[in-house]
Amino acid sequence: MPLRGLLNSSLLEAGGFRQVADPYTGALVVTIPAIRPDWAVVHVHECDAEGNSWIDGSRYDDVLLAMAAGRVLVTCEKIVGRDRFVEAPQRAAFPGFMVEAVAEAPGGARPTSCGGLYAYDRAFLTAYLAAAGDDAQYRRFLITQVCNL
Amino acid sequence: MSLTVANQMTVSLARLLKNGETVFHGVASPLPMVAVLVAKRLQAPDLIYLNITGSVNPQPERLPESTVDPALLKGTAALFELKDVFDLAARGGLNTVFLSGLEIDRSGCINMSAIGPYDKPKVRLPGGAGSAFLMETASRVIIWRTKHDRRTFVEKVAFTTACGTVDRVVTPLAVLRRGPDGLEVESIHSYSNPDEVRRETGFPVKVSGETAVTPPPTAEELAALAAVDPEKVRLFEFRTS
């Protein structure tokens, strides 16, 4: 994909991004190779059993992630009926045929935020940060705080 | 003290904004958020305010500490998502962008990537997000940073994440502008002094008793700050933990 900018940045070399001449103007343009993840896992507000997915408010890069990935897993706050999408198809951020599997997982974005429903969990993330520097502490953190064992 | 600094920095940022221009800020940007809303109340009512949530001229009921919070969507009549902002910048339609950097050098280049070798860094920084792109496509960039010391203001950044159209840099001590030889001190805030600015800046700056003093916030600006940000979200960036 061609991109304006990035010419002054050391990221150009660090990322190994190559330049091509714009065939219309001759100007050098940075190009970025496609990223093709095997999987994207996207958490949405609502989806139906086919994977038609509704994101409330800002979508950020979630749609792009789903379109780029080989296969898509959707987790959602709530599974709804297909009729919710049929009556207003513009609600779907991406269609179900792109989606491999769905799972209802209320609170599934935690400790990060889910727009309009819950904010990021600052205390949890601070605890993670404190634990992450040390393997034993981090293992204990995973067992007690993530797996709730 | 931090309220004095936050107020001075916020109004210094707000004063730079012009009526009718199109302005964008991204994540982790409470000071720019408050500054834009203050400018819209004062000299720039027709400024077009874009931000990373995708809202256009939002009218938030309360200001969030996180600038990706959906509170910043309140009152928008359309969504203009991040990819749209990047396209707008690429076609030359984005006037002003707020960016920051862990390191900022004399040329106005910023480092948001790494200290030490990029592939095996001593410290991995959060990353530049779109700054490498926006610094070369937006008409101008305003940098703000809530620290002014020699670790932040360096002769040359350890890694150039982004470099380009920096116009002004607003810090707790001063306002810097880009001149022919790189960043120069435009004005020093009233509670600081030339010695402190010289001592805390890692590249040579010409400052003296003749250097302009940044006008402290006016009564009108303080009233706008109180109206826009009654919960003092602008202090968030000054928290130490």
Side-chain angles (χ1 to χ4, degrees), chain B residues 119-131:
Chain B
D119 293 324
K120 208 171 185 296
K122 196 169 138 221
V123 185
R124 171 69 72 202
L125 303 178
S131 54

Side-chain angles (χ1 to χ4, degrees), chain B residues 145-167:
Chain B
R145 179 81 164 101
T146 54
K147 273 201 180 79
H148 189 140
D149 57 26
R150 282 173 175 262
R151 285 180 76 187
T152 306
F153 286 90
V154 297
E155 180 69 40
K156 180 84 188 88
V157 287
F159 183 93
T160 305
T161 304
C163 211
T165 55
V166 170
D167 171 42

